[in-house]
Amino acid sequence: MTTIKVPGRPTWQQTMLRIKDPAKTIPFYTEHFGMTVIDTLDFPQYKFKIFFLSTLPEGESYTLTPGTQEAHDYMWTIEGTALELTYNYGTEEDSENFKGYHPGNQDKDGFGHIAFNTDDVYAACEKLEKAGVTFKKKPDEGRMKGLAFAYDPDGYWVEIVKRSEGSNISNYFNFSQTMLRVKDPVKSIAFYEALGMTVVRKKHFNDFSLFFLASSSNIDQSVDYANIPDSEAYSKLGQMFGPVLELTHNHGTEKDDAFNHFNGNEEGRQGFGHIGFLVDDVYAACDTIREMGYGFRKEPDGGSMKGLAFAYDPDGYSIEIIKRGGIEFGDKKVEK
């Protein structure tokens, strides 16, 4: 079997969630989880605005103004992964017609959660609860002790995970995961490996398996992740500063031709939108992605925004392909 590799050094750059009210959601992530708004894209002509948030290393100051060309230049060359929050104008005021976004975790939903690592889950959850954050699961509830799931203002699940000992990460929290459910891990892993990701840990249980994939900028190139003991893989996973893509496979779904996950973009189930990758050349990358046979939601020259694409992965999740360095998005820029 020929191994496909997408050219142009693809790196995982974003996870997108739709939000109802940025006045609530942005402070949730900046004040409670220490994230920084590093850029915005405002499209008044289309009535939506995008906020990009990132975990910066503790002590690093960010002096650029989101929405300026300088912030755009920074955003579209980052090696890490940002949380993209998309706001459609007016949703926060339309309580009669707009009931909110679909946070996932219902029958056949694909998107599961995002996550943050911290040194002490119990102390962190106590701090969050005192600040008014609500929980799906507290650290000592349920079968799996020592981890928690908080709710963000839109009802998305935010997992709180213990960081590995010896991580040398001084941030109280760091953005650490995006979880998606997959039907067939063989197909999904091959797809994301073609986009430059590496399986850094596998964990098998009786009826499901977890696969953790990291982008090239987030791994130790000297480590042979496929051949280290699980204890070492677990430790290295918990020491990573940037997030991993967690693929959850419920055993047997790959044998059911009729089974599909909802991808977050269906009418009435919109919430999670996509993940995105930076590449050097969108057109060359898409030529190779096309060979994998899963199709495109938007070709590079389709629609009004030329030079970026949305491919489908094996489960129908949207995968944005963006030129490293950015393009002219047609947004209303902030003037300094």
Side-chain angles (χ1 to χ4, degrees):
M1 182 178 177
T2 303
T3 300
I4 294 177
K5 293 294 182 186
V6 174
R9 197 174 69 83
T11 54
W12 179 26
Q13 191 232 14
Q14 58 179 255
T15 290
M16 189 277 260
L17 302 176
R18 298 175 178 92
I19 63 169
K20 178 178 180 177
D21 187 350
K24 294 179 180 179
T25 302
I26 302 301
F28 178 86
Y29 286 107
T30 57
E31 295 174 11
H32 297 318
F33 289 95
M35 301 192 87
T36 300
V37 178
I38 57 174
D39 199 13
T40 60
L41 290 173
D42 193 7
F43 299 96
Q45 67 273 39
Y46 304 125
K47 294 182 169 35
F48 75 95
K49 184 174 183 178
I50 301 171
F51 302 81
F52 296 97
L53 287 73
S54 179
T55 301
L56 300 178
E58 186 71 19
E60 181 177 311
S61 61
Y62 187 73
T63 59
L64 302 178
T65 301
T68 60
Q69 186 59 53
E70 291 79 6
H72 290 2
D73 293 342
Y74 176 89
M75 173 64 199
W76 302 106
T77 55
I78 62 172
E79 291 294 317
T81 307
L83 179 62
E84 174 185 348
L85 302 177
T86 297
Y87 160 63
N88 290 295
Y89 289 5
T91 50
E92 77 281 17
E93 299 171 347
D94 189 8
S95 57
E96 182 176 341
N97 298 307
F98 183 73
K99 303 304 180 185
Y101 289 109
H102 184 70
N105 296 302
Q106 295 182 15
D107 186 40
K108 292 189 176 180
D109 279 333
F111 173 72
H113 60 261
I114 61 171
F116 289 84
N117 284 4
T118 190
D119 287 335
D120 187 331
V121 171
Y122 292 87
C125 290
E126 183 178 352
K127 180 180 178 181
L128 290 170
E129 188 172 21
K130 286 180 179 178
V133 175
T134 59
F135 286 81
K136 165 70 177 176
K137 176 196 175 303
K138 294 181 182 178
D140 272 343
E141 294 176 346
R143 292 178 300 169
M144 201 169 291
K145 310 299 183 186
L147 61 82
F149 285 91
Y151 288 117
D152 88 344
D154 287 275
Y156 296 115
W157 294 11
V158 180
E159 187 176 13
I160 315 297
V161 185
K162 181 175 171 54
R163 193 179 285 141
S164 296
E165 301 294 334
S167 68
N168 297 319
I169 297 172
S170 55
N171 297 64
Y172 196 86
F173 286 111
N174 61 291
F175 182 35
S176 63
Q177 288 180 20
T178 294
M179 190 277 262
L180 300 175
R181 299 175 181 90
V182 299
K183 176 178 179 174
D184 186 340
V186 174
K187 293 179 179 179
S188 295
I189 289 170
F191 180 88
Y192 288 105
E193 285 181 335
L195 282 165
M197 302 194 86
T198 298
V199 177
V200 295
R201 189 186 182 216
K202 303 176 184 180
K203 187 67 176 177
H204 301 289
F205 299 90
N206 289 337
D207 54 357
F208 71 98
S209 295
L210 304 176
F211 303 87
F212 299 91
L213 288 78
S215 192
S216 58
S217 58
N218 196 31
I219 63 171
D220 182 345
Q221 299 289 346
S222 68
V223 175
D224 182 3
Y225 289 94
N227 292 300
I228 59 176
D230 182 66
S231 58
E232 185 178 352
Y234 172 78
S235 178
K236 290 187 177 298
L237 178 66
Q239 293 174 2
M240 290 182 176
F241 184 74
V244 295
L245 182 62
E246 177 185 353
L247 302 180
T248 298
H249 171 232
N250 291 303
H251 299 165
T253 53
E254 75 281 9
K255 300 174 183 177
D256 183 353
D257 291 341
F259 182 85
N260 288 294
H261 289 108
F262 292 109
N263 61 41
N265 290 303
E266 298 88 353
E267 188 66 31
R269 304 184 81 94
Q270 292 182 330
F272 166 79
H274 61 262
I275 62 173
F277 288 79
L278 292 181
V279 297
D280 293 336
D281 185 327
V282 169
Y283 294 88
C286 288
D287 284 344
T288 300
I289 292 170
R290 198 172 290 109
E291 294 175 18
M292 291 191 273
Y294 300 113
F296 283 79
R297 177 179 167 190
K298 177 193 176 301
E299 291 275 0
D301 281 337
S304 60
M305 201 172 288
K306 312 299 183 185
L308 64 80
F310 283 91
Y312 287 118
D313 86 343
D315 286 275
Y317 297 120
S318 291
I319 310 300
E320 189 173 14
I321 308 298
I322 317 145
K323 178 177 171 56
R324 183 172 285 107
I327 62 173
E328 178 47 62
F329 292 98
D331 61 304
K332 181 181 178 182
K333 293 181 180 62
V334 173
E335 300 297 332
K336 292 201 305 181

